[in-house]
Structures are given as C-alpha cells and as structure tokens.
Amino acid sequence: MNKFIALNQGSGGKQTHELISGVFAKRFGMTEPLTDSATLDESGLTLAFTTDSYVIDPLFFPGGNIGKLAVCGTVNDLAVSGAIPIYLSASFIIEEGFTLYDLEIIADSMAEEALNAKVKIVTGDTKVVEKGKCDCLFITTAGIGVIKPGSDHIAKGKRIKSGDKLIINGTIGNHAVAVLGARNNLNFSSSVISDCASMNHMIRDLLQGCGEIHFMRDLTRGGLAAVLNELARMTGKGISIDELSVPIDDPVKGLCEILGFDPFSLANEGKALIVTGEDDFEKALKILQYNPLGKKSAVIGEIVDEHKGTVVLNTFSGGKRILEMPSGTMLPRIC
Amino acid sequence: MNKFIALNQGSGGKQTHELISGVFAKRFGMTEPLTDSATLDESGLTLAFTTDSYVIDPLFFPGGNIGKLAVCGTVNDLAVSGAIPIYLSASFIIEEGFTLYDLEIIADSMAEEALNAKVKIVTGDTKVVEKGKCDCLFITTAGIGVIKPGSDHIAKGKRIKSGDKLIINGTIGNHAVAVLGARNNLNFSSSVISDCASMNHMIRDLLQGCGEIHFMRDLTRGGLAAVLNELARMTGKGISIDELSVPIDDPVKGLCEILGFDPFSLANEGKALIVTGEDDFEKALKILQYNPLGKKSAVIGEIVDEHKGTVVLNTFSGGKRILEMPSGTMLPRIC
C-alpha cells in the first residue's frame, strides 16, 4: 500500500477494500467477508449495527441533501442485511461560519426522512472546527436494527446457489450523475435526479412476501460493479450479467459516454442488488415493481457454476467481458 | 441564535446546548433532559446507544491519540449511563495525503484500547476527502451497551435526593492541559499527561459493590462545571461544592493560572462525577480508590435543598460563588 492515503482509497473500489482489510479489519479482529453492517447476538436478540460518514460535495443536490442521504444510507445498510431499522445516531462536524439556515434545512430533511423510514434519531454529537478545517459539514450516522429469525443469512449470502436470479430495483447511476451536475466546477446542466431514498419498507414487503431472498446489498460507492465482485469473491460462485437488461436512464447513459464514466461503477443511494432462488424471482419482481421505489425493477443476470469468483458481462454487442472490481480514480465525495 | 455557526457552539457549554436543543433535539423528537447516550427498550433488553465525533488537534498528545480517545470516549459514555459497553463502530474521515504510518499507529491504539475495555469494534466506514478539506483525521465512534435491570435510572439521575454525595474519581483538567501543551502554537512544555482511559471496569465494580449510585456522567467538554450545571437543571436540586476538595494537580493549577483557564471548565477523558446516597459514599470511595483510575477519588460536595437549580462553590477563601455553566470561548477541538 502507498505510504500516503490517496483519494481513491475512499471510493469504494479495490483500494478501499485493501485499506479496510489491511489497516482496520485485521487489527479490530473483524472476520471476512466484511459487510456494511455487523450482525450481533445479544440475549436472544439478533441486532444489525452499522455506521457511515457522509462527506458529499456539494451538500445539496437534485433529489436530496447530505441530511437525507445520511438517514437513507444507514437505513438502507440495515435493511439490506435483513434487519428492521429502528434507531439512528447522528454526529455532526461543522465548519465555523456554516450558516444556521442551511443546518436547519438539513436537520429538517433528516427529521422528515426518519419519519418516512419510521426510524428514530435517538442520540448524537456536535463538533465545530475552525474555518478551513473541514468542508462545510460532515455527518456520521450509525444505526441499530433488529434481524428477524430466518433473515440472518442474507448479508453474507450464505444460501446463494447456482441458478439464483439477480435483480436490481431500477436504474443505476442517477445519484452520482445528479451530484456531478450539482458541482459547480462541472459545467453541464442535468435533468437527472438522485435516487436517494430509504428502501426499508420495500425490502420489508419483499421479505414478507417472498421467502427465498438469498442476498441483498445496496449499490453505493463502487456501484453495481463493486457489489457484484464482492458477491462473487464472497461466495466463490460465477456471476453472469446481461448488459442490456441493466436499466439505465438515457440522460445518465449519455452523460457517462461524454464524461467517460462507467455507469456500472457509479454510486446509487436507493438501489439494491437482490438475489432470489431460481423459482422465486417472478414473485420478487412483482412485489418490487408494486413499490414506487421498484417500478423499473429488472432481472439482470444469474449465479452460475462457470468462471468461479468472476463477474462476466454479456455485452449488448453479443460479446463477453469480465466486469472488474472498480479500481483507481473514481468520483470522490459522492456520498 | 447567531446566523453563522461559531466555534463556541462546539465547546460543550451553554452555546452547544442551545444549538443541540434548538436545531436538532426538537426536530428529532428527542426528549429533554438530553444525556450522552440514549436508553432503548428492545424485546425485553435495555440498550444504551451513543455516538461521538473526535476532531482533536493535535492527533497525538501525552497519554494518547485520537484513536485511543475515540474508543475511551464512547466506552465511557456507555459506562456512565449504567451500561456494560459491548460493541463499537468506527468511521474515519481521512485527509488525502495523511500518512499510512500514523493511521496504523492510531488503529493500533484503538485495537489495544478496545481489548483493554473488552469491547469489540464490529463495523466501520472510511472516507477520504481532498487535501485541505479536513484536518488530517476525524473519527466518529458509536457504541452499544446493555443496561442491567435496576441501572436505567442512572443517566437521568431519577433517584437523586438531598443529602446525596458527589464524588469525582481524581484530578481534573489534565486532558485539556496535556492537549494544549502538545499544540505547537502554545509555547510551553508540560509534564501533564492526559487522563484518557476507559472507566467501564471501574464503574462495573462500583455498580456491583455499591447499590445506591444515583447518577454518573463523564466530565468531558465543558468539564465539571458543565456536568454539575446540567445535573442541577435536570433535577431542580441545589448543588454545593467545596472548592478545596476538588483534586487538581499542581502543574495543572499553575498553568491554568498563567493561561487564564478555569480548571472546572476543562475537558477530561477519564473522569466521572458520581452521585451516591448519603450512606453509601464511603463504600463507593473505597471501591473507586482501589482502582488505578480512581486512586485520587474524593467527595467534592452534596445535593442540597437550597438554591435550587444552581451550583454554589464554597471557595477556598471561605466565600461562596455561583459556578455557572461554561459559556463563550473555550478551548476548541480538545476531543
């Protein structure tokens, strides 16, 4: 590893994984595979526990702001681990001179999104640092959820088997493109709106209505490509994806082509990869499509016995290529 | 409130309380009195949940570093609410260009302190921001603890009554003075070492050995003065403190005189205010003094029926003065 921390070590790709595994996980005795939330057994109760720091730039973007994002992100991390999110903490690092007006708008968004997701922000902290010592505002949320018996296999994909179907609940890349558009230094106007949303109610309906959910993960930093590669590595299975079946909005596709971004590696904030048993994907799809957050849900591929540990993309031109773990320079501070 | 966030709103005194109450607590539906950790009832289990962001400057100081501090601080917040701390999360915001070497030393300290406190760091997050967008490294920890039946009154001091004795487990001000000494821009050398330590084992022994613990709070930002004033406001009782009985090391006293600081308002990281029933303080003192972290424990005052809601200091010169909630400019980034 490099002697100095680089921006790409925070982008959710290969370098982030190396930093977390090499510096933190081994020292803290965390066992691989690392997931976005820890599963804890406490006096007969199975809890999920997660945390995320939000350093998004800019703080406000089409479809949300850092406050909404900080609630949705932690709610989603809990939900995709099969937990019912219940309690959140919120810790603020504020730059001296930040406006009270913006802080109140952001706090309003957090309160509104917590109400919407039916979680309670129960504890927090506030620090202020000198002007120039942080970039406006960073928020760190942590969350506690309760995992019902029978759902504790989901986060680590313990029941994944060949033939399982891979579903995503809509278009990818919208969040990253919306945030890029909102950045002053990129001179394009964009009609794209972030998908930032709490998915816990949709996921609860899915778990209640469809027994055989084998894996879920939200498609945040590193996007679909990172999650697919983690899943392949974690299970040792092959993954086959049909490029054409992955929903991408035209403006996102167009902007990715112009700017040279791969939509598969872009961050989302209201999208999850869901893996179901071979016989259950139609039921799952129906439940997801019934929800406003899942209208454009689609089956995008399956778990296979071939090319173990590798994600293969069947391209729109009829070829095949390996979809790698995102690596190198990606968009910084997208969440 | 001012239109722009000011440094003193992060110092743990009056302005911090106004910011938290006015902006966050009312929106998030938190009920006063606000404590450092939330108490949650979940399927027959009573949990404590807390979070803190650490933005200390400098990262390394005599007696610890930001990593040790981030573990001790969250462990202590749980312990003083009567909980056994069990799980921690750790989220890192790192400035591009920060050295891997320092990050590893800090992670080592966290692992060591977690082992010492017998808590497990189970989940985390890592973000990297561009050079100049944060000050080296900020760490946010959250923690979960289990509160045993019969200890859930402690955080809010529900059983406090007149005649109760106030104890602190040693000298105050050491942490703040040690950090000040380590700051390059203050040109004094100091032999003072931070008291940064996890108090959970000492507190566990105290709770097991002495039934009548009516209140505990760690003396962090805002110091002893802030905690005493919060307690007076929360209970509506008067508090009487004997200035001479409050243990302060000579070098701390001397430096405070030179620099114009009030040791009662300085942050500590291994000290707690403990309130016991009138008949139990000797037992409590004995248990505390047996522990290396409590050797200099002392009774510093009592709960009284007079001057309700106010903290009165019986000064060393024989006079009386009101000890106010710290206000205005205090030391920033001391934790």
Side-chain angles (χ1 to χ4, degrees), chain A residues 49-54 70 74-75 78 87-91 120-123 139-144, chain B residues 49-51 89 123 140-143:
Chain A
F49 184 31
T50 188
T51 191
D52 263 316
S53 287
Y54 297 87
T74 292
V75 163
L78 292 171
Y87 302 114
L88 256 55
S89 68
S91 194
K120 230 173 129 40
I121 302 171
V122 291
T123 190
I139 301 178
T140 301
T141 45
I144 300 178
Chain B
F49 184 30
T50 189
T51 191
S89 68
T123 190
T140 302
T141 44

Side-chain angles (χ1 to χ4, degrees), chain B residues 18 40 57 63 70 109 115 126 147 155 171 215 231 246 252 283 293 310 314 320 326 328:
Chain B
E18 285 170 359
L40 314 168
D57 169 39
S109 295
L115 195 71
T126 307
I147 299 182
T171 59
F215 177 76
L231 181 62
V246 178
V252 171
K283 202 197 292 173
L293 300 178
T310 307
N314 302 300
K320 281 182 193 294

Side-chain angles (χ1 to χ4, degrees), chain B residues 162-167 224 228-229 231-232 237-246 264 273 299-315 319-323:
Chain B
S162 301
D164 280 2
K165 299 290 186 190
L166 277 61
I167 300 174
L224 180 60
L228 290 171
N229 274 282
L231 181 62
K237 295 279 187 188
I239 296 177
S240 171
I241 300 291
D242 290 313
E243 187 172 22
L244 268 180
S245 66
V246 178
F264 281 72
L273 176 74
V299 175
I300 61 164
E302 61 179 3
I303 304 289
V304 294
D305 274 329
E306 297 80 47
H307 50 80
K308 289 188 191 301
T310 307
V311 184
V312 170
L313 199 66
N314 302 300
T315 65
K320 281 182 193 294
R321 70 172 173 92
I322 291 178
L323 183 68

Side-chain angles (χ1 to χ4, degrees), chain A residues 169 197-206 270 284-297:
Chain A
N169 63 308
S198 295
M199 296 187 283
N200 56 322
H201 301 320
M202 180 181 74
I203 288 173
R204 178 203 55 204
D205 293 346
L206 183 68
L285 216 48
K286 214 169 164 180
I287 295 168
L288 290 170
Q289 285 168 345
Y290 183 76
N291 191 293
L293 299 179
K295 269 186 185 157
K296 293 185 182 173
S297 293

Side-chain angles (χ1 to χ4, degrees), chain A residues 68 72 110-119 197-198 200-201 293:
Chain A
K68 180 180 180 188
C72 293
M110 295 181 78
E112 192 184 322
E113 191 56 34
L115 196 69
N116 173 41
K118 295 197 172 71
V119 295
S198 295
N200 56 322
H201 301 320
L293 299 179

